Amino acid sequence: MGIRIGILTAGGDCPGLNAVIRGVAKAAYHTMKDVEFIGIQDGFGGLIRGEYKTLNQSDFSGILTIGGTILGTSRTPFKLMQVVEDDNVDKLKCMKDNYKKMGLDCLLILGGNGSHKTAGLLADEGLNIIGLPKTIDNDIFGTDVTFGFHSAVDVATDCIDKLHTTASSHGRCMVMEVMGNKAGWLTLYSGIAGGADVILLPEIPYDMKKIIAKIKERGKRSKDFSIIAVAEGAMSTEEATMKKKAREKLRAESGNAVFKITKAIEAETNFTARPCIPGHIQRGGIPSAYDRLLSTRFGAYAAELILKKNFGVTVAMVDNVVVANELSEVAGKTKFVPEHHQLIEIGRSLGISFGD
Ligand code: F6P
């Protein structure tokens, strides 16, 4: 009897998804007899609708360096997984039925935080699940790093580098929004790597006065430009006291932090300021060498877990060693940037303002 492995990619895409898929496949073909891969299309949506196809060995060739995902992806919020909506579809039942219909021995789920919650739910329902930690946000609990993160750090850093030259030529302040709604890892890493002067994370509420003071102080030191790296989810001390819904309403009315800060700099200093939102560019392009390595390691390790029939787990990197974490222990938890993370302390020692 052969082994039938289902594989799906869920949530926002990132570089490295194809490298993981290839890593699993190469290791599985090499170490297992009679292995067959079923590619589920467009994430959990495809699993619910029963959209899948058999993949051949050749489908895994030449994809190491390709960004995005050959399987397609979609967002199906976890909170709706057990809710029957107007279309009358019982999503959980459909996923279980399709898993059986495909005759799967296990299902690999390459996804972020939300997808890990659904992976945990499916494991609880008796399916053989292995998760793989994907996200440019690097916020999956229990792993030091997620694949896709370092590629995004490279892109965001490149954006900051480019803003530097134009900011210094014009003597302006450039305010760049970096992806990351809940956790500020990407902003922290690219901000330090790009030499930003102010770094604002969702985890550290900012005081606009402190940002303005930093820019004025730089002006006094005849630094006629400043770079401010702002996480998508950065919030002011006032916003931090609000409930999520109220904060979102305020955001919709008055714009994200990047616009508020740009306006405040122009209103309260002599500097011209410009906002910049690279947005989804940060999720695009080829995986960096770091991510190709990480994805290949994660993929090959997942194949090993299949051989050992070790299911209900997700692959992780802990102290430079690839390990498996129980889904029940990590799904549903977010890895935030700790207040005293060493990189924050180092940033502070360099004089970088975190807006607090
Ligand atoms: O989770 C990855 C991420 O890129 C976040 O950083 C960002 O907030 C979100 O996805 C954007 O989602 P979407 O692609 O659905 O606009």
Side-chain angles (χ1 to χ4, degrees), residues 11-14 75 112-113 134-139 177-183 186 232-233 279-280 282-283:
D13 73 328
C14 72
R75 290 197 188 275
N113 263 331
K134 161 243 70 160
T135 170
I136 65 160
D137 295 340
N138 194 34
D139 60 352
E177 183 182 275
V178 183
M179 271 191 163
N181 237 322
K182 288 187 188 155
L186 186 53
E232 233 181 334
H280 290 76
Q282 294 161 93
R283 286 217 316 244

PDB file of all heavy atoms in Angstrom, residues 11-14 75 112-113 134-139 177-183 186 232-233 279-280 282-283, ligand 1:
ATOM      1  N   GLY A  11      -4.076  31.024   3.447  1.00  0.00           N
ATOM      2  CA  GLY A  11      -3.801  32.369   3.944  1.00  0.00           C
ATOM      3  C   GLY A  11      -2.971  33.167   2.949  1.00  0.00           C
ATOM      4  O   GLY A  11      -2.824  32.772   1.786  1.00  0.00           O
ATOM      5  N   GLY A  12      -2.400  34.275   3.413  1.00  0.00           N
ATOM      6  CA  GLY A  12      -1.589  35.118   2.521  1.00  0.00           C
ATOM      7  C   GLY A  12      -0.374  34.353   2.009  1.00  0.00           C
ATOM      8  O   GLY A  12       0.234  33.595   2.743  1.00  0.00           O
ATOM      9  N   ASP A  13      -0.042  34.538   0.748  1.00  0.00           N
ATOM     10  CA  ASP A  13       1.112  33.816   0.187  1.00  0.00           C
ATOM     11  C   ASP A  13       2.419  34.417   0.706  1.00  0.00           C
ATOM     12  O   ASP A  13       2.406  35.450   1.385  1.00  0.00           O
ATOM     13  CB  ASP A  13       1.087  33.868  -1.349  1.00  0.00           C
ATOM     14  CG  ASP A  13       1.453  35.244  -1.867  1.00  0.00           C
ATOM     15  OD1 ASP A  13       1.142  36.230  -1.176  1.00  0.00           O
ATOM     16  OD2 ASP A  13       2.063  35.345  -2.944  1.00  0.00           O
ATOM     17  N   CYS A  14       3.513  33.768   0.402  1.00  0.00           N
ATOM     18  CA  CYS A  14       4.828  34.337   0.713  1.00  0.00           C
ATOM     19  C   CYS A  14       5.887  33.549  -0.052  1.00  0.00           C
ATOM     20  O   CYS A  14       5.632  32.416  -0.467  1.00  0.00           O
ATOM     21  CB  CYS A  14       5.113  34.311   2.215  1.00  0.00           C
ATOM     22  SG  CYS A  14       5.448  32.675   2.860  1.00  0.00           S
ATOM     23  N   ARG A  75      -8.097  32.997   1.730  1.00  0.00           N
ATOM     24  CA  ARG A  75      -8.315  33.197   3.165  1.00  0.00           C
ATOM     25  C   ARG A  75      -9.708  32.697   3.532  1.00  0.00           C
ATOM     26  O   ARG A  75     -10.701  33.172   2.993  1.00  0.00           O
ATOM     27  CB  ARG A  75      -8.216  34.686   3.506  1.00  0.00           C
ATOM     28  CG  ARG A  75      -6.800  35.242   3.405  1.00  0.00           C
ATOM     29  CD  ARG A  75      -6.723  36.566   4.147  1.00  0.00           C
ATOM     30  NE  ARG A  75      -5.455  37.248   3.940  1.00  0.00           N
ATOM     31  CZ  ARG A  75      -4.351  37.020   4.644  1.00  0.00           C
ATOM     32  NH1 ARG A  75      -4.358  36.101   5.594  1.00  0.00           N
ATOM     33  NH2 ARG A  75      -3.245  37.699   4.411  1.00  0.00           N
ATOM     34  N   GLY A 112      -0.346  30.234   8.067  1.00  0.00           N
ATOM     35  CA  GLY A 112       0.005  31.115   9.178  1.00  0.00           C
ATOM     36  C   GLY A 112      -0.830  30.810  10.412  1.00  0.00           C
ATOM     37  O   GLY A 112      -1.313  29.688  10.583  1.00  0.00           O
ATOM     38  N   ASN A 113      -1.031  31.855  11.223  1.00  0.00           N
ATOM     39  CA  ASN A 113      -1.718  31.657  12.502  1.00  0.00           C
ATOM     40  C   ASN A 113      -3.138  31.123  12.374  1.00  0.00           C
ATOM     41  O   ASN A 113      -3.500  30.157  13.044  1.00  0.00           O
ATOM     42  CB  ASN A 113      -1.754  32.988  13.259  1.00  0.00           C
ATOM     43  CG  ASN A 113      -0.624  33.064  14.246  1.00  0.00           C
ATOM     44  OD1 ASN A 113      -0.177  32.030  14.748  1.00  0.00           O
ATOM     45  ND2 ASN A 113      -0.148  34.256  14.526  1.00  0.00           N
ATOM     46  N   LYS A 134       4.230  29.183   7.856  1.00  0.00           N
ATOM     47  CA  LYS A 134       4.422  30.164   6.785  1.00  0.00           C
ATOM     48  C   LYS A 134       3.918  31.526   7.204  1.00  0.00           C
ATOM     49  O   LYS A 134       2.798  31.613   7.707  1.00  0.00           O
ATOM     50  CB  LYS A 134       3.642  29.700   5.560  1.00  0.00           C
ATOM     51  CG  LYS A 134       3.372  30.770   4.549  1.00  0.00           C
ATOM     52  CD  LYS A 134       1.883  31.071   4.324  1.00  0.00           C
ATOM     53  CE  LYS A 134       1.195  31.760   5.457  1.00  0.00           C
ATOM     54  NZ  LYS A 134      -0.051  32.452   5.083  1.00  0.00           N
ATOM     55  N   THR A 135       4.684  32.558   7.084  1.00  0.00           N
ATOM     56  CA  THR A 135       4.174  33.930   7.138  1.00  0.00           C
ATOM     57  C   THR A 135       5.321  34.929   7.136  1.00  0.00           C
ATOM     58  O   THR A 135       6.357  34.705   7.774  1.00  0.00           O
ATOM     59  CB  THR A 135       3.278  34.226   8.361  1.00  0.00           C
ATOM     60  OG1 THR A 135       3.044  35.641   8.428  1.00  0.00           O
ATOM     61  CG2 THR A 135       3.870  33.793   9.680  1.00  0.00           C
ATOM     62  N   ILE A 136       5.091  36.021   6.420  1.00  0.00           N
ATOM     63  CA  ILE A 136       6.093  37.102   6.449  1.00  0.00           C
ATOM     64  C   ILE A 136       6.047  37.806   7.804  1.00  0.00           C
ATOM     65  O   ILE A 136       6.921  38.573   8.128  1.00  0.00           O
ATOM     66  CB  ILE A 136       5.889  38.134   5.309  1.00  0.00           C
ATOM     67  CG1 ILE A 136       4.563  38.886   5.464  1.00  0.00           C
ATOM     68  CG2 ILE A 136       6.006  37.483   3.948  1.00  0.00           C
ATOM     69  CD1 ILE A 136       4.519  40.195   4.690  1.00  0.00           C
ATOM     70  N   ASP A 137       5.005  37.543   8.588  1.00  0.00           N
ATOM     71  CA  ASP A 137       4.860  38.237   9.883  1.00  0.00           C
ATOM     72  C   ASP A 137       5.718  37.627  10.992  1.00  0.00           C
ATOM     73  O   ASP A 137       5.910  38.243  12.036  1.00  0.00           O
ATOM     74  CB  ASP A 137       3.396  38.215  10.332  1.00  0.00           C
ATOM     75  CG  ASP A 137       2.494  39.001   9.401  1.00  0.00           C
ATOM     76  OD1 ASP A 137       3.019  39.846   8.659  1.00  0.00           O
ATOM     77  OD2 ASP A 137       1.268  38.767   9.410  1.00  0.00           O
ATOM     78  N   ASN A 138       6.183  36.397  10.790  1.00  0.00           N
ATOM     79  CA  ASN A 138       7.026  35.690  11.778  1.00  0.00           C
ATOM     80  C   ASN A 138       6.365  35.568  13.146  1.00  0.00           C
ATOM     81  O   ASN A 138       7.042  35.575  14.179  1.00  0.00           O
ATOM     82  CB  ASN A 138       8.386  36.412  11.917  1.00  0.00           C
ATOM     83  CG  ASN A 138       9.422  35.579  12.646  1.00  0.00           C
ATOM     84  OD1 ASN A 138       9.439  34.349  12.514  1.00  0.00           O
ATOM     85  ND2 ASN A 138      10.264  36.217  13.434  1.00  0.00           N
ATOM     86  N   ASP A 139       5.041  35.469  13.175  1.00  0.00           N
ATOM     87  CA  ASP A 139       4.354  35.541  14.471  1.00  0.00           C
ATOM     88  C   ASP A 139       3.739  34.210  14.917  1.00  0.00           C
ATOM     89  O   ASP A 139       2.825  34.195  15.738  1.00  0.00           O
ATOM     90  CB  ASP A 139       3.277  36.645  14.438  1.00  0.00           C
ATOM     91  CG  ASP A 139       2.215  36.403  13.376  1.00  0.00           C
ATOM     92  OD1 ASP A 139       2.378  35.466  12.564  1.00  0.00           O
ATOM     93  OD2 ASP A 139       1.226  37.153  13.356  1.00  0.00           O
ATOM     94  N   GLU A 177       5.269  52.383   5.675  1.00  0.00           N
ATOM     95  CA  GLU A 177       4.455  51.375   6.351  1.00  0.00           C
ATOM     96  C   GLU A 177       4.969  49.979   5.989  1.00  0.00           C
ATOM     97  O   GLU A 177       5.110  49.642   4.822  1.00  0.00           O
ATOM     98  CB  GLU A 177       2.989  51.484   5.924  1.00  0.00           C
ATOM     99  CG  GLU A 177       2.096  50.499   6.652  1.00  0.00           C
ATOM    100  CD  GLU A 177       0.647  50.582   6.199  1.00  0.00           C
ATOM    101  OE1 GLU A 177      -0.106  51.423   6.722  1.00  0.00           O
ATOM    102  OE2 GLU A 177       0.266  49.799   5.302  1.00  0.00           O
ATOM    103  N   VAL A 178       5.250  49.199   7.016  1.00  0.00           N
ATOM    104  CA  VAL A 178       5.739  47.834   6.830  1.00  0.00           C
ATOM    105  C   VAL A 178       4.603  46.887   7.204  1.00  0.00           C
ATOM    106  O   VAL A 178       3.867  47.148   8.163  1.00  0.00           O
ATOM    107  CB  VAL A 178       6.979  47.574   7.733  1.00  0.00           C
ATOM    108  CG1 VAL A 178       7.547  46.178   7.495  1.00  0.00           C
ATOM    109  CG2 VAL A 178       8.057  48.624   7.470  1.00  0.00           C
ATOM    110  N   MET A 179       4.460  45.780   6.469  1.00  0.00           N
ATOM    111  CA  MET A 179       3.364  44.845   6.769  1.00  0.00           C
ATOM    112  C   MET A 179       3.492  44.262   8.178  1.00  0.00           C
ATOM    113  O   MET A 179       4.604  44.126   8.697  1.00  0.00           O
ATOM    114  CB  MET A 179       3.310  43.725   5.739  1.00  0.00           C
ATOM    115  CG  MET A 179       2.434  44.077   4.558  1.00  0.00           C
ATOM    116  SD  MET A 179       2.130  42.636   3.521  1.00  0.00           S
ATOM    117  CE  MET A 179       0.716  43.225   2.597  1.00  0.00           C
ATOM    118  N   GLY A 180       2.371  43.881   8.728  1.00  0.00           N
ATOM    119  CA  GLY A 180       2.361  43.309  10.080  1.00  0.00           C
ATOM    120  C   GLY A 180       1.318  44.025  10.907  1.00  0.00           C
ATOM    121  O   GLY A 180       1.561  45.142  11.364  1.00  0.00           O
ATOM    122  N   ASN A 181       0.168  43.383  11.040  1.00  0.00           N
ATOM    123  CA  ASN A 181      -0.927  44.014  11.751  1.00  0.00           C
ATOM    124  C   ASN A 181      -0.873  43.822  13.253  1.00  0.00           C
ATOM    125  O   ASN A 181      -1.177  44.724  14.017  1.00  0.00           O
ATOM    126  CB  ASN A 181      -2.245  43.442  11.222  1.00  0.00           C
ATOM    127  CG  ASN A 181      -3.110  44.553  10.706  1.00  0.00           C
ATOM    128  OD1 ASN A 181      -3.130  45.621  11.299  1.00  0.00           O
ATOM    129  ND2 ASN A 181      -3.794  44.319   9.607  1.00  0.00           N
ATOM    130  N   LYS A 182      -0.465  42.600  13.640  1.00  0.00           N
ATOM    131  CA  LYS A 182      -0.461  42.307  15.082  1.00  0.00           C
ATOM    132  C   LYS A 182       0.946  42.349  15.645  1.00  0.00           C
ATOM    133  O   LYS A 182       1.172  42.830  16.747  1.00  0.00           O
ATOM    134  CB  LYS A 182      -1.044  40.909  15.314  1.00  0.00           C
ATOM    135  CG  LYS A 182      -2.518  40.838  15.086  1.00  0.00           C
ATOM    136  CD  LYS A 182      -3.028  39.481  15.500  1.00  0.00           C
ATOM    137  CE  LYS A 182      -4.478  39.311  15.110  1.00  0.00           C
ATOM    138  NZ  LYS A 182      -4.818  37.907  14.957  1.00  0.00           N
ATOM    139  N   ALA A 183       1.884  41.757  14.904  1.00  0.00           N
ATOM    140  CA  ALA A 183       3.249  41.649  15.413  1.00  0.00           C
ATOM    141  C   ALA A 183       4.200  42.487  14.552  1.00  0.00           C
ATOM    142  O   ALA A 183       4.017  42.615  13.345  1.00  0.00           O
ATOM    143  CB  ALA A 183       3.692  40.185  15.408  1.00  0.00           C
ATOM    144  N   LEU A 186       8.618  42.153  11.311  1.00  0.00           N
ATOM    145  CA  LEU A 186       9.128  42.600  10.012  1.00  0.00           C
ATOM    146  C   LEU A 186       9.609  44.051  10.086  1.00  0.00           C
ATOM    147  O   LEU A 186      10.651  44.404   9.516  1.00  0.00           O
ATOM    148  CB  LEU A 186       8.011  42.429   8.956  1.00  0.00           C
ATOM    149  CG  LEU A 186       8.359  42.702   7.505  1.00  0.00           C
ATOM    150  CD1 LEU A 186       9.575  41.917   7.054  1.00  0.00           C
ATOM    151  CD2 LEU A 186       7.158  42.365   6.600  1.00  0.00           C
ATOM    152  N   GLU A 232       2.151  48.248  10.027  1.00  0.00           N
ATOM    153  CA  GLU A 232       0.743  48.423   9.649  1.00  0.00           C
ATOM    154  C   GLU A 232      -0.153  48.574  10.890  1.00  0.00           C
ATOM    155  O   GLU A 232      -1.054  49.390  10.931  1.00  0.00           O
ATOM    156  CB  GLU A 232       0.324  47.112   8.978  1.00  0.00           C
ATOM    157  CG  GLU A 232      -0.284  47.193   7.652  1.00  0.00           C
ATOM    158  CD  GLU A 232      -0.649  45.782   7.180  1.00  0.00           C
ATOM    159  OE1 GLU A 232      -0.036  44.787   7.613  1.00  0.00           O
ATOM    160  OE2 GLU A 232      -1.582  45.700   6.372  1.00  0.00           O
ATOM    161  N   GLY A 233       0.150  47.780  11.901  1.00  0.00           N
ATOM    162  CA  GLY A 233      -0.710  47.753  13.084  1.00  0.00           C
ATOM    163  C   GLY A 233      -0.214  48.638  14.214  1.00  0.00           C
ATOM    164  O   GLY A 233      -0.711  48.530  15.350  1.00  0.00           O
ATOM    165  N   GLY A 279       3.368  47.776   0.659  1.00  0.00           N
ATOM    166  CA  GLY A 279       2.275  46.797   0.657  1.00  0.00           C
ATOM    167  C   GLY A 279       2.683  45.398   0.255  1.00  0.00           C
ATOM    168  O   GLY A 279       3.673  44.855   0.755  1.00  0.00           O
ATOM    169  N   HIS A 280       1.929  44.842  -0.707  1.00  0.00           N
ATOM    170  CA  HIS A 280       2.114  43.429  -1.061  1.00  0.00           C
ATOM    171  C   HIS A 280       3.409  43.140  -1.800  1.00  0.00           C
ATOM    172  O   HIS A 280       3.744  41.963  -1.996  1.00  0.00           O
ATOM    173  CB  HIS A 280       0.902  42.918  -1.849  1.00  0.00           C
ATOM    174  CG  HIS A 280      -0.319  42.804  -0.987  1.00  0.00           C
ATOM    175  ND1 HIS A 280      -1.046  43.902  -0.616  1.00  0.00           N
ATOM    176  CD2 HIS A 280      -0.886  41.735  -0.382  1.00  0.00           C
ATOM    177  CE1 HIS A 280      -2.040  43.515   0.172  1.00  0.00           C
ATOM    178  NE2 HIS A 280      -1.962  42.202   0.338  1.00  0.00           N
ATOM    179  N   GLN A 282       6.024  43.375  -0.481  1.00  0.00           N
ATOM    180  CA  GLN A 282       6.784  42.676   0.567  1.00  0.00           C
ATOM    181  C   GLN A 282       6.510  41.175   0.597  1.00  0.00           C
ATOM    182  O   GLN A 282       7.250  40.409   1.202  1.00  0.00           O
ATOM    183  CB  GLN A 282       6.444  43.275   1.949  1.00  0.00           C
ATOM    184  CG  GLN A 282       6.904  44.714   2.097  1.00  0.00           C
ATOM    185  CD  GLN A 282       6.180  45.435   3.219  1.00  0.00           C
ATOM    186  OE1 GLN A 282       6.653  45.462   4.343  1.00  0.00           O
ATOM    187  NE2 GLN A 282       5.022  46.009   2.937  1.00  0.00           N
ATOM    188  N   ARG A 283       5.428  40.744  -0.010  1.00  0.00           N
ATOM    189  CA  ARG A 283       5.111  39.313  -0.036  1.00  0.00           C
ATOM    190  C   ARG A 283       5.505  38.663  -1.358  1.00  0.00           C
ATOM    191  O   ARG A 283       5.337  37.452  -1.535  1.00  0.00           O
ATOM    192  CB  ARG A 283       3.605  39.100   0.175  1.00  0.00           C
ATOM    193  CG  ARG A 283       3.150  39.333   1.578  1.00  0.00           C
ATOM    194  CD  ARG A 283       2.066  38.386   2.023  1.00  0.00           C
ATOM    195  NE  ARG A 283       1.006  38.136   1.103  1.00  0.00           N
ATOM    196  CZ  ARG A 283      -0.278  38.466   1.304  1.00  0.00           C
ATOM    197  NH1 ARG A 283      -0.630  39.110   2.410  1.00  0.00           N
ATOM    198  NH2 ARG A 283      -1.194  38.144   0.447  1.00  0.00           N
TER     199      ARG A 283
HETATM  200  O1  F6P B   1      -0.168  37.788   7.137  1.00  0.00           O
HETATM  201  C1  F6P B   1       0.578  38.350   6.132  1.00  0.00           C
HETATM  202  C2  F6P B   1       0.064  39.703   5.766  1.00  0.00           C
HETATM  203  O2  F6P B   1       0.820  40.156   4.683  1.00  0.00           O
HETATM  204  C3  F6P B   1       0.054  40.734   6.886  1.00  0.00           C
HETATM  205  O3  F6P B   1       1.306  41.289   7.154  1.00  0.00           O
HETATM  206  C4  F6P B   1      -0.934  41.736   6.357  1.00  0.00           C
HETATM  207  O4  F6P B   1      -1.481  42.487   7.403  1.00  0.00           O
HETATM  208  C5  F6P B   1      -1.947  40.854   5.685  1.00  0.00           C
HETATM  209  O5  F6P B   1      -1.280  39.653   5.360  1.00  0.00           O
HETATM  210  C6  F6P B   1      -2.552  41.427   4.442  1.00  0.00           C
HETATM  211  O6  F6P B   1      -3.564  40.583   4.026  1.00  0.00           O
HETATM  212  P1  F6P B   1      -4.206  40.563   2.581  1.00  0.00           P
HETATM  213  O7  F6P B   1      -3.215  39.983   1.638  1.00  0.00           O
HETATM  214  O8  F6P B   1      -5.403  39.708   2.724  1.00  0.00           O
HETATM  215  O9  F6P B   1      -4.496  41.993   2.229  1.00  0.00           O
END
